[in-house]
Amino acid sequence: MQNTTHAQVERYLLKLRSALGGLHDAEKAEIISDIRNHIEERLAELGAPDDNAIGQVLTALGGAEALAVEFQRERLIAQAAFTVEPMLLLRATFQWALTAVSGVAAFVLLLFGYSIGLALVVCAALKPIMPQNIGLWVDPPAFTLGYLNPMERHGHELLGWWILPVGYVGGVLLLVATTRLVRWILRLRAANSPSILQIHQGQA
Amino acid sequence: MYMDMAKETTIATASPADHWEAQLRKGCLELAILGSLWPRPLYGLDILRALRSRGGLEVAEGTLYPILNRLRVDGLVTSEWRDEGTGHPRKYYTLTDAGRLRTQQILQSWDSFTSRMNELLSSVRPEN
């Protein structure tokens, strides 16, 4: 381990560890030890571990942040299958959508569920402020949820003040249901990798 | 003007065929890594050398370890330290039983795919 106490290497590994963000500590430690061992091997190959050799080895690995992005990209879907963070789910399904049609379907489902859920909650919150303009307007076959200008309104408003409980409860339930459904879909995708499930369930 | 010429040269050099080959190599990387570990456990640099010498794959060093980490989390490889008297211990990666099974499954898909593609493309090949 004689070479890796060099300050430049330690800075690189520290930056990498910090950029690995949400990964579990045990996994981060494994990654750092992988990269540290690689640096040691390469430096041993090059002979004297001077600044030039270290610079050469670190350049071949790529920037610490860019390397961390590669690690996270490889692990994004497995992580997202156990998260309740909407942004992580969106990022994971978006990455999946870039590679497969089933990913596009999951991404659209997530966007649809979140949009309607959020719209219901926002409508419930705005109803007391704009009682005449906020509601669920029905003009068959069209439904409009949200704000309508009195001059442009057609049809009739369906929920009245019921939009408060329906919006809050229905909106939150839809957000939770969408999150759980997409997580379940992501777990199905990872189902042929049972160890992913065991590791994350063990750490949950 | 010089910049424009440089851009044109770059675009002309990276032909669609080159891009396609790069994508193909990237797609095969997981199978190549699993395959390199089939005969015996290897440490990181050894895997890179095996990919280069036996597979003709020039893999960036920063590309190998994220894939190895995912394979480890997926339970397809394990890693362990070994001290072989080189002055520092080496981290060796070994295929697990699940990893061997997965390698065989991917290889079957690969064989089936390549044999169908060969059949489809046989008319494109020049006559021997």
Side-chain angles (χ1 to χ4, degrees), chain A residues 59-191:
Chain A
T59 303
L61 273 171
E65 284 92 354
L67 185 57
V69 167
E70 286 301 316
F71 275 105
Q72 287 181 321
R73 183 173 297 154
E74 286 288 338
R75 299 279 292 105
L76 196 56
I77 290 173
Q79 272 185 289
F82 297 89
T83 189
V84 290
E85 290 177 38
M87 285 313 293
L88 185 54
L89 277 170
L90 280 165
R91 275 171 50 211
T93 48
F94 179 71
Q95 288 289 340
W96 184 16
L98 293 177
T99 60
V101 178
S102 45
V104 175
F107 184 63
V108 169
L109 176 71
L110 189 65
L111 274 186
F112 183 77
Y114 278 177
S115 306
I116 302 291
L118 205 59
L120 280 167
V121 173
V122 170
C123 283
L126 291 178
K127 181 71 175 176
I129 303 168
M130 293 177 281
Q132 300 302 315
N133 302 93
I134 297 289
L136 177 62
W137 314 95
V138 184
D139 183 16
F143 284 82
T144 306
L145 174 68
Y147 179 90
L148 271 189
N149 189 318
M151 305 297 290
E152 296 169 358
R153 281 203 309 242
H154 301 284
H156 65 283
E157 206 278 318
L158 198 64
L159 291 174
W161 287 102
W162 277 102
I163 199 167
L164 264 71
V166 170
Y168 280 127
V169 176
V172 169
L173 282 178
L174 189 57
L175 290 172
V176 171
T178 304
T179 300
R180 295 181 86 93
L181 179 61
V182 172
R183 277 172 47 176
W184 178 73
I185 292 170
L186 289 171
R187 284 181 203 191
L188 271 187
R189 187 180 185 271

Side-chain angles (χ1 to χ4, degrees), chain A residues 1 27 30-31 33-35 37-38 41-42 44-45 60-61 67 70-71 74-75 192-193 195-196 199, chain B residues 43 45 48-49 60-62 65-67 69-70 72-75 79 81 87-91 93 102:
Chain A
M1 302 268 173
E27 191 175 349
E30 282 283 7
I31 290 171
S33 93
D34 286 347
I35 300 300
N37 189 232
H38 174 85
E41 287 293 334
R42 292 281 284 117
E45 264 188 352
L61 273 171
L67 185 57
E70 286 301 316
F71 275 105
E74 286 288 338
R75 299 279 292 105
N192 56 359
S193 304
S195 60
I196 293 179
I199 284 168
Chain B
Y43 59 97
L45 269 187
L48 287 169
R49 287 190 197 111
E61 294 174 9
Y65 293 95
I67 297 175
N69 182 56
R70 177 169 52 78
R72 181 169 50 209
V73 175
D74 286 1
S79 55
W81 290 99
H88 57 264
R90 282 177 169 153
K91 198 169 194 181
Y93 301 88
R102 176 71 68 85

